[in-house]
Amino acid sequence: RWTWPVDVGVLTDLVATEDVVAVRAAKFRALTTTDGTPLWEKSDIVAPINTLSSADGTILGIGLGRLAPELQAIDAATGTLLWSYDGGDARIDDGAAVTAIDGVVAMLDSDRLWVLDPDGPDPTATDGARWQIGIADPWLDSLAVLPDVVAVATRSGEVCAYDPADGGQRWCVEVDGVADAAPTIVAVRDTLAVISDDVTALAIENGAQRCAFDAPRDLTPVAAAARDQLVVSDINGRAHGLDLATGYEVWRASGFGRITALAASDAAIYAGTRD
């Protein structure tokens, strides 16, 4: 539909709402989803700088606060800072991850998982979070969320699911490849897709394996959910659309160069590349 050149740096974060695509390379910018027209740009200290996510017209990311990293929520249409959260008594580590869906904002660092409400931290709570629990040796980028599940992968080789309401553990299952390298986890309706060397689809309710996809080439650590499909990419610059109900590849697109970031809305799939 359209392309937008990244003039400086490599595009490493990409997130989409229905109306806005936010991209992070050397700077943090927002484009319209209709034709890529620039909306706003932020390069100041309050702009989110990594691990972008979006929910209900809000873009979230981990940025630099005055004293330590903090979670920041920005209005996707205007670039205005809506709220921020520094972790309360437990400061957020560098490299923390955040992901969100309407109703739930989840954040993970080296040993702790937080869940906040989408409108920001509750000022009457002790530290502002809905809840927080300790997590042993998590893979920081392996965090996914649905309205009724928050999922984390750990270095022990397990994927674990927690209740967004109170942090109660639902289940933990071992998944091949998770102990060896950080996987990517993407939530697709009632399925968790775990992307490592291949793709393993787990049922939300109990962690049972639903299907698997053996990639023809090594996969890159980026993926996105598009309607009922999972979109992954391989090291040769091909994007693959997978039906996670069956594990079948339903389409393939090529010619992108190496894909460094993926995002999706109901209307389109967005790919950041090194081209």
Side-chain angles (χ1 to χ4, degrees):
R1 293 186 179 182
W2 51 264
T3 61
W4 184 78
V6 178
D7 47 1
V8 179
V10 175
L11 197 159
T12 53
D13 272 313
L14 178 65
V15 67
T17 68
E18 290 304 311
D19 301 313
V20 177
V21 181
V23 299
R24 183 182 71 88
K27 294 184 179 180
F28 181 63
R29 298 182 173 102
L31 317 172
T32 63
T33 56
T34 52
D35 57 11
T37 300
L39 277 177
W40 47 263
E41 175 183 304
K42 296 181 76 67
S43 57
D44 55 45
I45 198 169
V46 299
I49 57 171
N50 60 38
T51 65
L52 301 180
S53 184
S54 69
D56 196 25
T58 301
I59 296 168
L60 299 110
I62 305 298
L64 294 176
R66 292 184 178 181
L67 301 176
E70 63 183 20
L71 172 62
Q72 297 168 358
I74 283 183
D75 185 290
T78 65
T80 304
L81 180 67
L82 299 175
W83 54 264
S84 61
Y85 176 65
D86 63 5
D89 293 337
R91 293 293 182 176
I92 300 168
D93 291 346
D94 291 332
V98 60
T99 190
I101 196 169
D102 296 350
V104 181
V105 176
M107 182 173 58
L108 176 71
D109 69 7
S110 61
D111 62 0
R112 193 164 294 271
L113 174 66
W114 288 265
V115 164
L116 290 84
D117 294 310
D119 294 331
D122 179 358
T124 66
T126 302
D127 63 5
R130 183 187 295 178
W131 54 261
Q132 56 177 290
I133 59 173
I135 301 289
D137 293 326
W139 290 111
L140 290 185
D141 292 332
S142 300
L143 174 67
V145 63
L146 285 172
D148 55 354
V149 163
V150 178
V152 175
T154 69
R155 296 172 190 269
S156 65
E158 292 185 320
V159 174
C160 297
Y162 301 88
D163 189 326
D166 58 14
Q169 183 174 296
R170 295 271 187 84
W171 49 260
C172 282
V173 297
E174 291 189 5
V175 178
D176 289 345
V178 170
D180 301 323
T184 301
I185 303 181
V186 178
V188 185
R189 296 196 184 273
D190 60 351
T191 303
L192 287 175
V194 183
I195 301 100
S196 53
D197 293 335
D198 298 310
V199 179
T200 303
L202 306 177
I204 288 291
E205 61 269 20
N206 56 15
Q209 181 172 320
R210 286 187 163 164
C211 62
F213 171 72
D214 295 327
R217 298 287 186 276
D218 290 344
L219 296 177
T220 63
V222 295
R227 298 178 183 170
D228 291 327
Q229 295 180 0
L230 174 74
V231 183
V232 296
S233 72
D234 64 37
I235 60 173
N236 289 344
R238 283 188 289 258
H240 306 263
L242 309 179
D243 181 346
L244 291 182
T246 62
Y248 295 151
E249 181 182 79
V250 294
W251 58 263
R252 182 183 300 185
S254 59
F256 298 108
R258 187 178 178 92
I259 295 175
T260 58
L262 280 167
S265 68
D266 286 342
I269 298 163
Y270 306 91
T273 75
R274 291 183 182 272
D275 287 355

